[in-house]
Amino acid sequence: MKKLGILLLLIAATNLWSLAQTVSIGSPSGKIILNFTIKNGNPVYTLSYKGKTVIEESNLGFKIKDMPEFGNTFTLENKVTEMGVNQPWTPVWGETKTIENNYNMLQVTLKDNAPQAHTLIIVFKVYEDGLGFRYEFPEQANLQHFIISEELTSFNLTGDHKIWWIPGDFDTNEYAYYTSKISDVEKKTQKRDGNIFTATPIQGSFVQTPLMIKSPEGIYMNIHEAALINYPCMDLKFDVTTYNATATLAPDAVGNKAYLRAPAKTPWRTIVVSDDAREILASKMILNLNEPNKLKDVSYIKPMKYVGIWLEMHLGISTWDYAGSQSASDAGSDGKTVKKTKHGATTESTKKYIDFAAANGFGGVLVEGWNTGWEDWFGKWKEDVFDFVTPYPDFDVKEVNKYAQSKNVGIITHHETSGSVTNYERYMDTAYRQMAALGSHALKSGYVGKIIPRGEYHDGQWMVNHYLRAISKASDHQIMVTAHEPVRPTGLHRTYPNFMAAEAARGQEFNFWSDGNPPEHETILPFTRIMGGPMDYTPGIFKIKKSFYIPGAKEQVHTTLAKQLALYVTLYSPVQMVTDLPENYLAKPDAFQFIKDVAVDWDDTKILLAEPGDFIATARKAKGTRNWFVGGITDEQARTMEIDFSFLDKGQKYTLTIYKDAADASWDNNPEAYAIETIVVTSKTKLKVNLARGGGFAMSIFPKK
Amino acid sequence: MKKLGILLLLIAATNLWSLAQTVSIGSPSGKIILNFTIKNGNPVYTLSYKGKTVIEESNLGFKIKDMPEFGNTFTLENKVTEMGVNQPWTPVWGETKTIENNYNMLQVTLKDNAPQAHTLIIVFKVYEDGLGFRYEFPEQANLQHFIISEELTSFNLTGDHKIWWIPGDFDTNEYAYYTSKISDVEKKTQKRDGNIFTATPIQGSFVQTPLMIKSPEGIYMNIHEAALINYPCMDLKFDVTTYNATATLAPDAVGNKAYLRAPAKTPWRTIVVSDDAREILASKMILNLNEPNKLKDVSYIKPMKYVGIWLEMHLGISTWDYAGSQSASDAGSDGKTVKKTKHGATTESTKKYIDFAAANGFGGVLVEGWNTGWEDWFGKWKEDVFDFVTPYPDFDVKEVNKYAQSKNVGIITHHETSGSVTNYERYMDTAYRQMAALGSHALKSGYVGKIIPRGEYHDGQWMVNHYLRAISKASDHQIMVTAHEPVRPTGLHRTYPNFMAAEAARGQEFNFWSDGNPPEHETILPFTRIMGGPMDYTPGIFKIKKSFYIPGAKEQVHTTLAKQLALYVTLYSPVQMVTDLPENYLAKPDAFQFIKDVAVDWDDTKILLAEPGDFIATARKAKGTRNWFVGGITDEQARTMEIDFSFLDKGQKYTLTIYKDAADASWDNNPEAYAIETIVVTSKTKLKVNLARGGGFAMSIFPKK
């Protein structure tokens, strides 16, 4: 993609000044200022927002393995600035039609005085909504292949702020969120979630990013990273007395962090900052820090709603495996399986789902458990599990794809790796070729289990490279990718728009087998995990309680039905599952109408109301239309939201249908009670909506003809 | 391959008796007897040879991870014997036309009394030339997926015997051999060979197998393993006070040894024993313990001599890389390379080698450095190195293969992985397909460097599985494999006869860049490394001293020229390199004649004289002919050998050409001095031959017409 024009402005002393070894640069308006200094040979920075320091003096730099002389004696060799850069761009899909990309850039070149000197470049980009910075190791004589043993980057917060966080872990992001003061992190993480199979918690005050922060003065910050490529994922270690958070990189099997060869660039370290929580959610800085689209062919990339053979397995109605249970003892020693109970992914059942998708305008049907290997896949750290090409005898993979295409629906092929990635990589070429031959353009991959190569983590450099390799190879075969259990996203869907969504957080599924997701969960996700990219959360559950299927079962979804509808708007993703069983939708056609109507690709987005952990209300304008959809959700507190419709076109009347909690609804006692009303609104309308405890509402707003 | 008839004989008390928990079984003649006992709940065995104990009470069994209750309380549940098994077979290629396979078998089933009991089976096969035993974990309720944390097998020797050994190491077998008493192992290994790039020496009294042993009474033993599949390589740890050697398995990246799922079988542990050193070399027990040929198609498998673009790089005449040096700095940051000096693998040069091979009847031309990546491959633990399909611009891979085929010569494609096996496995399918399309049926693979997946070793289970995966996949594409730097062989070429040879020891190449291989080296290899399978040693050097090419260079081959000829016979391999530069052969056409004449596949083999570390003389009868070839070699001592030609057909006259050391030859002072004589011999002839220090002789013996 051609770079859009760059507008360079040289701005004077307010935004940039140099004093001894100190350099500063501001955002275009000057409300955010980055100060860079070298102190005793070590690079440090501070950040201020509207005149207030938000990041105190914080370290930059690295320890390089077997190279103790690296750094420590840096001096500023050179600096370059680019001011007023303005590079708007159009995403292949997204929350808005175009994305503004305005920043000022400072690049400092540092040289140490080791006997064989080294050069390190740090690039800072200051936006109106935050700071991104990255390190570059330029080509140089004394640094070729090298190993990062530690990244020194820190984020020195100004106090014991309130944070929304999950524990540091190199293998999973599927924790429920904690809300606490920084000083409480270690204490809180003593009691960890026991429902996650593959977890490698780090002992101590470690948290993951995206980390959401709120200072007592009401300044919100989000710390994360952008463009995580060929580098391990960053967690943060808090010093709970100084509130300084230091980068902690996921190690590899032998304890090294990253293998680099100059020239090399690290991911961007990102700090989104605002005194308005809504601006945090609206920020596109992480996307902007990623490279433009690299894919020449985007013809096959289509945002969609999809149904799937998936929930029924979670409900115990059918099984992934052909033998009808997940026990290894059901697989004969000859590797053949014996059918005992009900296998989910049959040709017949898949066709019914295809019919349902076609009848309701959904683009895809996910099929899990279609391929051999499910009898003995889980939790064994077993290398040779799935081959990704051999269907079970009762699943005619050709017939199913053909039938789907005849109905203008696509099969979403499922590749569960069970974490055995060496095995997956051996088959990837062949499996993607098979998908292309069958006309399946969408892939859901899964990484449930301890990683093979053994000793590697989901979040290490090796796996980070794998996820991108899969995305890139998929694009060669016109395949969209949604990955479950990968490293959490960092905006790479700008560069690889066939990377539709990821799980990489605690999805709806936890409601079916564990203590579940507390009612506040979905009000935190957009401030944390989803800052990096879309999440395949799987909303839309109409039968809230598992006891509907299994008498006495305690598991349930921790929202009202109306809130489930709202999630299609508040949790942004270009692929949204229509998760519940078709029969449950057909039983409530009025509520189902919203899911049929709601869009998945947008020309505009307005964050109307937001407070992490409490509430969110979002309005989005469907791509290529004048239709708007609004979602509002609350945590465990009932509340009233006033929605201001000033985002609508002036002078136009709209038909608004609201799907809301019934007056007596609540997530715990009466979750499926909803009410639907239709009214006419204009841009001048303000509407008060009552949300139940754990509740929400959804609105469709169509121009009145 | 159909099992040959099994002759079962029940033999009485001399060979088999049961007393309490003790069971014994002898070899068919009874000269080797295995005693099995359970002692305090633990299985143990002893071995005797001609009435003398050669293995004192030694442990059997395992520690299973997270299963401390496994074993310890075993009782004998069942025993089965098969007596007088006789299963002769015909190898696809080999040292003899048919191979005898006679043994008595004892299978004991053990059960522990853990609350959830476990079953372990041990199978002993006693041959006239030794003992093989393996463990089997049958399918059982309380043992499904499990991890071997330790194998307890030990070999409790009867004294401080003389042994020929290399230090324990999970990454290399390329050490020069030590000859010492057991008690000197640790002391000797303090000073290790510094010429091996990727070495992971184990601290302590660790040695590798095949381990050659000689007792003071003159009993020779060789300890090794057979059929190493889905299991790590075994080293041995000596207790230097008791002379007990315990199995030490190569660990994986996290310290586990083997991931198994019942039913599972371990490799065979092997003890070849004889009071005649020649019988050790003649033993086929390790091959016999491997499964019969699994390949349906063996049409493409052809033993051969081959030349190659390889030595010239070791001599500094040309380079592997296109840029003309191995420095990363010659690779531009755009990944493109700049040509500076002389690249070896050009189309033009390869054609000359093809012409040379065709003119002299050699079947293959090895080409190293044909594919991109060599500018920056070595020693960096770098994952993305070679793609195995992209030739350098000056190497027309299609043209070269076409030209070779027109001359009835095959290109041996080279795949150096640099140890980055995850990378290789991604390309393996594609690369083998390319080879098949080009008509290249022979592959030389290489594993120089630390393994990726990082933390894995060359000898761990993961890599053991990889080597076999490569061999198996290669067979799908009609490709023969010779692997360099793999785990040392264990007779798998019986089962996969496309697995022609391996390096897996210190090859001739060390003579070109290091202190080299001492003159005794080649007299030890057949007693150690080659017990497991053929070695691609690369004999045939005519220009012994590197100073021929580089004035003042100290490196040299540590043999005479005549001994280089002898190696074609004494070091068995179905693929033998004709290693020196064509010009050096053309300069000595009389000596070169032996290399042109000598066979690589045999109907018969006689070990005439042998003592490890001192001398070997071997006679072999060329496949499908009445021609014999004899090789004799000595260590640093000059000696006279008397060759008895009684192996020749009675009453037939033969023309014998002997290629021997000149009277004044010696490996250090006058290595290239040789003499050639032709005489007539019969089966009654006895001939004394003088071998120079570091010398040898070769004979071709053709029936006189």
Side-chain angles (χ1 to χ4, degrees), chain A residues 145 261 376 383 425-426, chain B residues 145 261 376 425-426 462:
Chain A
H145 290 273
R261 180 187 176 329
D376 184 27
E383 183 155 15
E425 291 204 340
R426 282 173 210 128
Chain B
H145 288 273
R261 181 190 178 323
D376 185 28
E425 290 204 340
R426 281 173 211 130
W462 197 89

Side-chain angles (χ1 to χ4, degrees), chain A residues 139 144-145 252-254 256 259 261 263 328-329 331 333 376 380-383 422 425-426 429-430 433 452-455 462 469, chain B residues 139 144-145 252-254 256 259 261 263 328-329 331 333 376 380-383 422 425-426 429-430 433 452-455 462 469:
Chain A
E139 199 160 3
Q144 296 184 346
H145 290 273
D252 80 343
V254 297
N256 291 328
Y259 300 81
R261 180 187 176 329
S329 61
S333 58
D376 184 27
K380 308 300 184 194
W381 223 7
K382 175 187 173 185
E383 183 155 15
T422 46
E425 291 204 340
R426 282 173 210 128
D429 268 336
T430 307
R433 259 197 302 272
I452 305 179
R454 297 192 181 91
W462 197 89
R469 187 179 299 119
Chain B
E139 197 159 3
Q144 296 185 345
H145 288 273
D252 80 341
V254 298
N256 292 327
Y259 301 79
R261 181 190 178 323
S329 61
S333 58
D376 185 28
K380 308 301 184 194
W381 223 8
K382 175 186 172 183
E383 183 154 14
T422 46
E425 290 204 340
R426 281 173 211 130
D429 268 336
T430 306
R433 261 198 300 273
I452 304 178
R454 296 190 181 94
W462 197 89
R469 186 179 298 121

Side-chain angles (χ1 to χ4, degrees), chain B residues 18 33 42 158 162 165 172 182 193 212 313 324 335 337 347 389-390 397 413 450 469 493 535 564 671 685 693:
Chain B
S18 169
I33 293 174
N42 293 303
T158 57
K162 185 178 181 182
W165 58 280
T172 185
I182 293 167
D193 188 294
M212 191 62 210
M313 285 82 106
T337 56
T347 304
V389 291
T390 307
V397 64
T413 301
K450 291 172 81 174
R469 186 179 298 121
H493 51 293
M535 177 176 177
Q564 286 291 312
T685 307
R693 292 187 293 111

Side-chain angles (χ1 to χ4, degrees), chain B residues 21 38 41 43 70-76 110-112 118 120:
Chain B
Q21 295 273 36
I38 294 176
F70 180 91
N72 306 320
T73 55
F74 276 126
T75 52
L76 183 60
L110 314 180
K111 200 162 199 171
D112 66 20
H118 309 102
L120 177 68

Side-chain angles (χ1 to χ4, degrees), chain B residues 154-378:
Chain B
S154 71
F155 306 87
N156 196 359
L157 300 178
T158 57
D160 193 8
H161 298 341
K162 185 178 181 182
I163 57 175
W164 291 263
W165 58 280
I166 55 174
D169 192 308
F170 302 133
D171 265 325
T172 185
N173 326 87
E174 300 194 354
Y175 294 100
Y177 287 96
Y178 292 91
T179 308
S180 78
K181 295 199 163 197
I182 293 167
S183 53
D184 284 339
V185 166
E186 187 160 7
K187 189 175 67 191
K188 292 259 182 192
T189 54
Q190 302 295 319
K191 181 181 143 288
R192 287 174 190 276
D193 188 294
N195 299 124
I196 304 170
F197 168 61
T198 302
T200 307
I202 320 167
Q203 298 307 311
S205 289
F206 290 85
V207 300
Q208 298 193 39
T209 77
L211 174 68
M212 191 62 210
I213 302 162
K214 186 180 184 181
S215 76
E217 308 87 36
I219 298 175
Y220 299 87
M221 282 196 285
N222 181 285
I223 299 177
H224 189 40
E225 61 183 306
L228 173 56
I229 296 174
N230 193 28
Y231 203 81
C233 172
M234 174 182 72
D235 283 8
L236 296 174
K237 179 180 185 175
F238 268 115
D239 181 323
V240 291
T241 57
T242 63
Y243 319 121
N244 186 24
T246 303
T248 301
L249 304 177
D252 80 341
V254 298
N256 292 327
K257 303 303 168 52
Y259 301 79
L260 299 180
R261 181 190 178 323
K265 297 173 179 179
T266 70
W268 297 91
R269 277 57 186 98
T270 60
I271 308 167
V272 178
V273 54
S274 176
D275 52 12
D276 182 340
R278 296 175 303 176
E279 290 183 355
I280 303 289
L281 296 185
S283 172
K284 295 288 169 285
M285 191 184 83
I286 288 172
L287 267 182
N288 281 330
L289 288 166
N290 277 269
E291 294 295 311
N293 174 24
K294 283 194 171 177
L295 305 187
K296 283 176 192 132
D297 176 12
V298 297
S299 62
Y300 60 94
I301 300 175
K302 289 172 187 155
M304 66 171 153
K305 287 169 280 183
Y306 69 97
V307 297
I309 298 179
W310 177 74
L311 180 68
E312 56 184 74
M313 285 82 106
H314 284 291
L315 296 174
I317 293 169
S318 72
T319 62
W320 276 272
D321 68 318
Y322 184 67
S325 90
Q326 300 287 330
S327 165
S329 61
D330 294 315
S333 58
D334 58 355
K336 289 176 186 158
T337 56
V338 185
K339 192 160 169 54
K340 293 203 302 199
T341 58
K342 198 187 165 198
H343 176 222
T346 65
T347 304
E348 191 191 352
S349 175
T350 306
K351 285 186 172 181
K352 284 185 189 159
Y353 275 90
I354 292 168
D355 290 340
F356 179 71
N360 296 289
F362 306 141
V365 176
L366 166 70
V367 189
E368 297 208 357
W370 67 276
N371 59 328
T372 56
W374 290 88
E375 282 71 17
D376 185 28
W377 77 282
F378 184 73

